Amino acid sequence: MRLLVVEDEARLATALQRGLQAEGFVVDVAADGPSGLDLARHGGYDAMILDVMLPGLSGYRVVRQLRAEEHWLPVLMLSAKDGEYDQADGLDCGADDYLTKPFSYVVLLARLRALLRRGAPQRPAVLTAGELSLDPARRRVTRGDSEVGLTAREYALLEYLMRRAGQVVSKTELLDHVWDAGVETAPNAVEVYVGYLRRKIGRDLLETVRGAGYRLAT
């Protein structure tokens, strides 16, 4: 397994490199954001350990750029910034995990192994389907250059469909995942909200597949 460590604190970077090499990993180190981004793009790594506060380009910008280029390298972010909003920002940028300094090396290894087990499936920070774009962090939906205003239920319905764009999604599946399980829901609730959604995003984007469910165009 090949790992990339992007860390500007030389002693920590060396300690991580030696420790991970002792675990059997092949480890490269970059000391700034631009170098780390270039290596991540072209190095063929299995995962990256990425500091947040880096010279030249922050860790947030590095991972955001990778995701914008549809590069799904698993990223474990390290930072001395331990606030809940700092951690949320890192994850919303596209990082897969976030660990605050000082950290337990045992925990770092365990989280790294978990990332490697999951591999690198596509998991964009911003969802897109045709002209539609949905940003879960900002809860913002646009079609082309126009913002689309949605209620909370309409937003949840669209997000679920966008995560399965191009696939047929049944009414039962939508009820299970978008509506509260403990609340009685009218049998026609899905049809009603699909109608609301079509009026806002465009009827051409959301197809009814007779007898099966709905499909959002890609």
Side-chain angles (χ1 to χ4, degrees):
M1 289 287 186
R2 298 191 66 217
L3 303 180
L4 174 61
V5 174
V6 188
E7 171 61 65
D8 65 324
E9 295 180 32
R11 290 179 62 184
L12 177 56
T14 300
L16 284 171
Q17 185 176 35
R18 289 176 178 170
L20 292 167
Q21 285 173 339
E23 297 291 331
F25 295 104
V26 176
V27 184
D28 292 332
V29 174
D32 59 69
S35 299
L37 178 58
D38 186 60
L39 285 170
R41 283 169 168 158
H42 308 297
Y45 296 99
D46 296 291
M48 173 167 64
I49 297 173
L50 177 67
D51 188 28
V52 170
M53 305 299 291
L54 292 167
L57 203 64
S58 74
Y60 294 144
R61 291 179 64 189
V62 169
V63 74
R64 190 179 288 118
Q65 184 62 37
L66 287 172
R67 299 313 186 224
E69 296 170 5
E70 299 190 352
H71 197 305
W72 311 114
L73 173 69
V75 175
L76 171 59
M77 193 165 268
L78 294 180
S79 179
K81 301 174 73 172
D82 60 357
E84 59 185 15
Y85 290 105
D86 298 313
Q87 297 179 52
D89 285 344
L91 296 170
D92 284 337
C93 281
D96 300 279
D97 202 352
Y98 191 108
L99 191 60
T100 58
K101 301 175 182 176
F103 55 84
S104 160
Y105 184 69
V106 172
V107 172
L108 180 141
L109 276 177
R111 292 191 176 190
L112 189 57
R113 287 193 295 266
L115 284 186
L116 292 169
R117 283 197 299 271
R118 292 199 293 268
Q122 293 188 6
R123 42 182 179 271
V126 176
L127 306 176
T128 58
E131 293 183 327
L132 276 180
S133 175
L134 184 149
D135 185 339
R138 299 179 181 178
R139 295 188 69 81
R140 183 171 182 263
V141 176
T142 57
R143 180 170 185 179
D145 296 326
S146 302
E147 187 160 352
V148 180
L150 300 177
T151 66
R153 183 76 68 197
E154 291 164 355
Y155 176 90
L157 177 60
L158 179 61
E159 181 178 8
Y160 193 82
L161 290 166
M162 286 188 73
R163 292 189 183 278
R164 289 151 185 79
Q167 303 175 26
V168 177
V169 182
S170 70
K171 294 178 186 178
T172 301
E173 185 177 347
L174 289 170
L175 283 170
D176 287 344
H177 290 272
V178 178
W179 273 262
D180 299 327
V183 178
E184 187 174 349
T185 304
N188 67 337
V190 174
E191 292 96 324
V192 169
Y193 276 90
V194 164
Y196 293 157
L197 199 53
R198 279 181 171 142
R199 286 197 287 272
K200 293 184 177 183
I201 66 170
R203 296 183 178 278
D204 57 313
L205 294 180
L206 187 49
E207 172 192 2
T208 298
V209 181
R210 192 169 300 280
Y214 303 95
R215 179 167 49 218
L216 188 71
T218 56

